[in-house]
Amino acid sequence: MKESGGNKKQGAASPCAACKLLRRRCAQDCLFAPYFPADEPHKFANVHKVFGASNVNKMLQDLPEHQRGDAVSSMVYEANARVRDPVYGCVGAISSLQQQIDVLQTQLAVAQAEAVHLRVRQTASSFWNSAGHSPTSPTYSGSPSSKINESQQAKNIFDMDMVVDQAAYGDSMW
């Protein structure tokens, strides 16, 4: 029966993804080992391609140990975004998400305006129906709208469509 492990020494762990890619021996106190495990070689490959191993090493050494995991996550995200989009990187993704937010905010504003419009129409309709008159009937009088010329009188003021200029919503409304 063959021993499991082949050429490996007993208890020796495989080198981290960084040391594998850089073709060096992975020391026990390797700075990269906790953040770039051997089973995720693509993580370090992209980070190395974008930032360089030496720069990553310097950045990690300059940070307190409790912040290194977050820094590595950020570098991996930026490196992956840079590989997908070499010009804009994660800024392109952020910009795209911001544009989606702007479009959705505009759609929300339009929907809210339509809801207000419908509430006003419903309120006006119930008001005119309860009074037994419509604002366009010839017998209706007693309001400023009765003094408007006859061509405008035929138009119900609550039947106007809401028009929202989407270009005016460049900045957030709220």
Side-chain angles (χ1 to χ4, degrees):
M1 192 188 269
K2 289 186 177 181
E3 289 182 31
S4 65
N7 303 7
K8 290 184 182 178
K9 296 177 187 174
Q10 288 252 331
S14 64
C16 68
C19 292
K20 253 186 197 177
L21 186 76
L22 299 172
R23 295 185 178 145
R24 65 182 191 191
R25 189 180 65 81
C26 191
Q28 200 163 11
D29 62 341
C30 176
L31 185 62
F32 297 123
Y35 312 107
F36 301 106
D39 60 343
E40 298 177 4
H42 61 281
K43 276 174 64 173
F44 184 76
N46 287 343
V47 169
H48 174 59
K49 197 180 297 182
V50 172
F51 297 105
S54 178
N55 290 329
V56 173
N57 189 25
K58 287 176 194 172
M59 282 189 264
L60 291 178
Q61 284 178 343
D62 290 345
L63 288 172
E65 200 165 324
H66 69 276
Q67 292 179 342
R68 291 178 183 172
D70 291 336
V72 168
S73 293
S74 294
M75 284 187 273
V76 168
Y77 181 81
E78 172 65 27
N80 289 340
R82 226 8 110 173
V83 167
R84 280 191 309 272
D85 185 355
V87 175
Y88 294 109
C90 70
V91 173
I94 292 168
S95 176
S96 173
L97 291 171
Q98 185 61 50
Q99 287 174 348
Q100 288 179 16
I101 288 171
D102 293 343
V103 166
L104 291 172
Q105 283 179 334
T106 301
Q107 290 175 351
L108 177 62
V110 168
Q112 288 172 333
E114 287 176 4
V116 168
H117 175 70
L118 291 173
R119 274 192 230 116
V120 168
R121 281 184 67 174
Q122 184 179 17
T123 303
S125 174
S126 64
F127 170 76
W128 297 118
N129 289 337
S130 68
H133 300 291
S134 80
T136 59
S137 70
T139 60
Y140 177 77
S141 62
S143 76
S145 65
S146 64
K147 296 175 184 165
I148 300 174
N149 67 36
E150 288 183 30
S151 65
Q152 288 178 333
Q153 199 172 27
K155 218 186 248 187
N156 187 338
I157 61 171
F158 298 108
D159 284 340
M160 293 187 299
D161 286 333
M162 297 287 292
V163 177
V164 178
D165 182 16
Q166 293 185 2
Y169 292 113
D171 294 334
S172 175
M173 290 175 41
W174 293 274

